[in-house]
Amino acid sequence: SSGINAEWPLRPGAPFGGFFCSGLKRAFGLKDFGDLIPGHGGIIDRFDCHIFNQLFVFVYYQSFIKSSSPSSLLRLIGHLAPDSQVRFYEVLRQSLQERQLLV
């Protein structure tokens, strides 16, 4: 069920994978990516809507979900304005104290 919940936001974007692949085929003068299914193209033609979604999922995962090392997080925090860095510290400290991880 969690896979279904994670997938629903991608549904509106699925046609864009098809549009992208259609544009790519037109740019190279192709009608279909293959002839495995007569009149319907190849396997990629059947799943081209998933190409866009998989790219989106990969970028989203790499940007927001993949766990980062403390040094990479510090590098990101270093790009914040000084007052935002202080606010981040205060929020983090309060959160750690509330969870009794910092005394």
Side-chain angles (χ1 to χ4, degrees):
S1 71
S2 62
I4 293 170
N5 293 335
E7 180 266 340
W8 76 266
L10 299 175
R11 290 180 183 176
F16 294 103
F19 298 152
F20 173 78
C21 287
S22 292
L24 186 66
K25 288 187 290 189
R26 285 193 184 111
F28 288 97
L30 299 172
K31 182 184 179 309
D32 295 317
F33 280 122
D35 57 4
L36 182 64
I37 307 168
H40 295 282
I43 297 296
I44 293 177
D45 290 295
R46 299 294 91 212
F47 296 98
D48 56 5
C49 64
H50 299 286
I51 294 170
F52 180 81
N53 283 350
Q54 292 302 318
L55 176 62
F56 175 80
V57 168
F58 175 77
V59 170
Y60 185 83
Y61 176 79
Q62 293 293 323
S63 301
F64 301 109
I65 296 175
K66 184 179 177 186
S67 62
S68 300
S69 67
S71 61
S72 64
L73 288 173
L74 284 173
R75 221 177 6 258
L76 291 172
I77 294 166
H79 291 291
L80 295 172
D83 58 325
S84 295
Q85 290 181 34
V86 171
R87 179 70 183 136
F88 175 83
Y89 168 74
E90 292 168 351
V91 170
L92 178 62
R93 182 176 43 111
Q94 181 181 1
S95 173
L96 292 173
Q97 286 173 341
E98 287 171 0
R99 293 183 290 151
Q100 298 178 348
L101 296 173
L102 183 67
V103 287

